[in-house]
């Protein structure tokens, strides 16, 4: 039975409780004393047991980032929460609590064993991210719907499942239903699922299983198509021409153009509108195709740049290792000879020679680093020039093509104005044969009204084209700026600082070795 807290005092997970638990479960005797003296670092704890403590709420566990095993069984917990930072958790026991809803487990992607035995759960849900789940215990809860078990089919690694003592276990078809629809299970309710039972269950539910498998296959295909579509869209965004291979920009021009939508109903405009849309989309397609081709060129340039950088760094590292290896051989010989010397003056002379050789090594390594800095600076400058040329070419061509879109819009505007004036004259003379909507009639009341409507529509269309141009140009220029700044920071500043620090640490270590040897000699 789940525990009630009307007879016990609810406890809070605080620092005192956590320290006590870690100390009790940590190293004993002398090792335990040392650990206690040095202080407890919750970030290093791998296993934690907080059972039988009347805990009402899960809290204050955010420091246990390396935790792999957590026991919170036999408490009075009502809600799963406070586990977001435990991203390395593999084993979680929440049995014998008062939990009603499975929730807040999204960050526990490494979880393999989850125990929720003896709670108040009525629905299996909210575990989509637990794809590594091997063992799941949901026995003695309030599960009534056998079909809800199909949710567990997403866990391909699930081999052991406990559902005993749930209401649906009393149904005659319970066991066969579970085995049929969760056919990868090896253990159900503490018993091995033998092949004979599996075959019989699958045969009984063959029709339902076939339908389910078909639906799952269709859903998988749909998901793959959506994933592929999103990947394509991301590629198009990276090329700054997303949605330009369709009617998107054309439709955007009319989406907020209420006057234009009404004007498009004018008699005799259908062919003109169709021609305008077709020519407009052809130019958009040219922009899209050109953008994709230029993106691939830029990607190739970036790839070539990083290959060049890596080659320069590896060559420099190889030359540095040659100097270090040469020094190491000299060091071994000199230290061996010094260890056999009894003449103090000779030892001091060797020590001075040794320190001179360390200084020579430092000079060589720092010289190589300066060479690499110069190399990378030149490579980065050339890369920046090439990328600026490519971006300039892309921007120039896109702007030229969008200018063609404006020309088309201007021509369409002139024809729209002509048709609008002709239509107005027919309305005034009562010579219009076609039926028109009331919205259009409101625009055809006089010359000023219809001219203003056509001009307003034209302005909206030009604004959309201008906005698209600004968006493309701004994004690609900002992206190039960010890329170059990041390269300068990572490859010139950060890398250089780290390399100089490595060289100085090596030299300090070598000098410390000599100092220690001299102390021993003395």
């Amino acid at each position: 039975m789940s525990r009630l807290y009307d007879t016990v005092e609810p406890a809070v997970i605080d620092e005192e409780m956590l320290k006590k638990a870690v100390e009790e479960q940590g190293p004993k005797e002398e090792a335990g004393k040392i650990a206690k003296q040095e202080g407890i670092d919750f970030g290093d704890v791998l296993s934690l047991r907080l059972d039988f403590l009347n805990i009402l709420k899960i809290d204050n566990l955010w420091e246990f980032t390396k935790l792999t095993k957590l026991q919170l069984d036999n408490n009075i917990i009502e809600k799963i929460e406070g586990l977001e930072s435990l991203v390395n958790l593999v084993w979680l026991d929440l049995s014998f609590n008062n939990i009603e809803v499975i929730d807040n487990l999204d960050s526990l992607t490494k979880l393999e064993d989850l125990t929720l035995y003896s709670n108040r759960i009525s629905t299996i849900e909210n575990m989509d991210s637990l794809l590594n789940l091997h063992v799941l215990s949901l026995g003695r809860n309030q599960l009534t719907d056998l079909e809800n078990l199909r949710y567990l089919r997403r866990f391909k690694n699930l081999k052991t499942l406990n559902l005993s003592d749930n209401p649906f276990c009393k149904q005659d078809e319970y066991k066969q239903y579970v085995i049929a629809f969760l056919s990868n299970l090896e253990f159900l309710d503490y018993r091995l699922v033998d092949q004979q039972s599996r075959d019989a269950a699958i045969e009984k539910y063959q029709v339902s299983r076939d339908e389910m498998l078909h639906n799952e296959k269709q859903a998988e295909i749909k998901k793959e198509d959506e994933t592929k579509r999103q990947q394509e869209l991301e590629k198009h965004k990276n090329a700054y021409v997303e949605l330009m291979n369709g009617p998107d920009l054309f439709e955007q021009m009319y989406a907020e153009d209420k006057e234009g939508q009404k004007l498009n109903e004018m008699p005799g405009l259908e062919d003109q509108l169709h021609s305008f849309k077709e020519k407009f989309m052809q130019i958009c397609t040219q922009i899209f195709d050109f953008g994709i081709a230029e993106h691939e060129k830029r990607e190739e340039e970036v790839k070539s740049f990083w290959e060049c950088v890596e080659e320069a760094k590896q060559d420099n590292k190889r030359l540095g290792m040659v100097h270090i290896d040469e020094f190491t051989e000299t060091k071994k010989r000199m230290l061996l000879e010094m260890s056999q010397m009894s003449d103090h003056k000779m030892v001091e002379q060797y020590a001075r020679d040794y320190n001179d050789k360390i200084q020579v090594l430092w000079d060589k390594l720092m010289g190589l680093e300066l060479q690499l800095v110069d190399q990378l600076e030149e490579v980065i400058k050339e890369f920046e020039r090439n990328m600026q040329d490519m971006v300039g070419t892309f921007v120039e061509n896109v702007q030229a093509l969008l200018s063609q879109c404006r020309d088309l819009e201007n021509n369409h505007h002139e024809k729209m104005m002509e048709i609008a004036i002709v239509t107005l004259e027919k309305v005034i003379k009562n010579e219009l044969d076609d039926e028109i909507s009331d919205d259009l009639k409101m625009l055809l009341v006089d010359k000023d009204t219809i001219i203003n409507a056509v001009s307003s529509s034209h302005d909206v269309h030009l604004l959309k084209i201008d906005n698209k141009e600004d968006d493309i140009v701004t994004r690609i220029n900002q992206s190039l700026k960010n890329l170059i700044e990041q390269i300068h920071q990572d490859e010139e500043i950060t890398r250089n600082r780290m390399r100089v620090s490595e060289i100085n640490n090596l030299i300090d270590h070598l000098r410390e070795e000599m100092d220690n040897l001299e102390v021993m000699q003395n």
Side-chain angles (χ1 to χ4, degrees), residues 398-413:
V398 168
Q399 288 176 328
L401 289 167
L402 285 172
S403 290
Q404 293 181 34
C405 288
R406 288 190 193 88
D407 292 341
L408 279 176
E409 168 57 31
N410 290 331
N411 292 334
H412 178 67
H413 168 65

Side-chain angles (χ1 to χ4, degrees), residues 115-127:
T115 302
L116 290 162
Y117 185 85
S118 191
N119 278 280
R120 301 175 180 180
I121 297 165
S122 58
T123 304
I124 304 172
E125 60 185 344
N126 300 326
M127 298 193 296

Side-chain angles (χ1 to χ4, degrees), residues 336-351:
L336 178 61
E337 292 173 357
M338 287 176 68
S339 66
Q340 298 171 352
M341 290 179 184
S342 56
D343 188 333
H344 184 66
K345 289 185 179 180
M346 189 173 291
V347 170
E348 287 182 345
Q349 181 59 46
Y350 255 64

Side-chain angles (χ1 to χ4, degrees), residues 417-465:
M417 191 66 78
E418 293 173 5
I419 294 172
I421 296 299
V422 170
T423 305
L424 174 64
E425 291 173 353
K426 287 183 179 180
V427 169
I428 292 171
K429 296 177 181 179
N430 203 22
E431 296 177 354
L432 192 65
D433 296 330
D434 301 270
E435 285 291 328
I436 59 175
S437 67
D438 291 339
D439 287 337
L440 182 56
K441 286 178 183 177
M442 295 294 291
L443 300 179
L444 293 168
V445 292
D446 57 51
K447 192 171 184 180
D448 286 343
T449 302
I450 194 66
I451 288 175
N452 288 337
V454 175
S455 297
S456 173
S457 173
H458 179 52
D459 291 341
V460 170
H461 295 181
L462 290 178
L463 181 62
K464 287 294 180 182
I465 296 171

Side-chain angles (χ1 to χ4, degrees), residues 241-394:
V241 291
E242 69 275 13
L243 304 177
M244 291 296 286
N245 56 334
D248 185 74
L249 181 56
F250 185 86
E251 290 173 355
Q252 279 185 39
M253 292 196 305
Y254 284 98
E256 299 174 15
D257 177 18
K258 303 302 180 185
E259 307 290 10
Q261 294 172 21
K262 298 171 188 176
L263 291 168
N264 285 346
E265 299 174 14
M266 288 191 299
L269 187 62
E270 185 176 345
D271 290 344
Q272 165 59 26
L273 191 61
H274 176 75
S275 174
F276 172 48
K277 181 177 181 179
E278 192 175 67
K279 291 176 181 177
F280 193 93
M281 286 179 57
Q282 285 176 356
I283 297 174
C284 289
T285 301
Q286 284 181 269
I287 293 173
F288 175 82
D289 292 340
F290 179 75
I292 295 297
E294 288 298 299
H295 171 65
E296 290 173 355
K297 290 179 184 177
R298 292 194 300 273
E299 287 287 284
E300 191 60 37
E301 179 66 23
V302 171
K303 179 184 175 184
S304 176
F305 165 74
W306 286 117
E307 287 175 351
C308 189
V309 168
E310 189 59 30
E311 183 180 352
K313 290 197 288 191
Q314 289 301 321
D315 287 346
N316 190 274
K317 181 179 178 181
R318 180 178 53 78
L319 291 172
M321 289 306 300
V322 168
H323 293 313
I324 292 172
D325 290 342
E326 289 174 352
F327 176 84
T328 301
E329 289 300 317
T330 302
K331 181 188 80 169
K332 288 179 182 178
R333 176 180 55 78
M334 291 185 72
L335 293 181
L336 178 61
E337 292 173 357
M338 287 176 68
S339 66
Q340 298 171 352
M341 290 179 184
S342 56
D343 188 333
H344 184 66
K345 289 185 179 180
M346 189 173 291
V347 170
E348 287 182 345
Q349 181 59 46
Y350 255 64
R352 284 193 292 271
D353 292 344
Y354 181 79
N355 281 320
D356 289 343
K357 292 185 183 301
I358 291 176
Q359 184 61 44
V360 170
L361 176 63
W362 184 87
D363 291 340
K364 289 179 178 178
L365 294 178
M366 289 302 292
L368 284 173
E369 173 56 20
L370 289 174
Q371 287 179 24
L372 182 57
V373 167
D374 290 340
Q375 275 182 284
L376 292 181
E377 184 179 359
E378 189 57 40
V379 170
I380 292 170
K381 282 182 179 177
E382 183 180 356
F383 172 71
E384 188 172 356
R385 284 194 297 270
N386 292 343
M387 289 296 289
Q388 285 174 341
D389 289 344
M390 287 181 171
V391 167
T393 299
F394 170 77

Side-chain angles (χ1 to χ4, degrees), residues 67-91:
L67 203 65
T68 59
K69 181 176 181 180
L70 176 60
Q71 282 182 251
L72 285 164
D73 57 285
N74 289 281
N75 286 293
I76 50 176
I77 297 167
E78 296 181 339
K79 183 180 180 181
I80 303 173
E81 59 186 336
L83 302 175
E84 294 80 10
S85 61
L86 310 186
V87 294
N88 290 302
L89 211 57
V90 175
W91 193 94

Side-chain angles (χ1 to χ4, degrees), residues 222-248:
K222 186 177 179 181
K223 184 178 178 181
E224 289 175 355
D225 289 343
E226 177 60 21
T227 300
K228 188 182 294 184
R229 191 186 73 80
Q230 288 297 330
Q231 289 173 344
E232 282 291 303
L233 180 59
E234 192 62 29
K235 178 184 176 182
H236 301 165
K237 283 182 179 178
N238 291 335
Y240 312 102
V241 291
E242 69 275 13
L243 304 177
M244 291 296 286
N245 56 334
D248 185 74

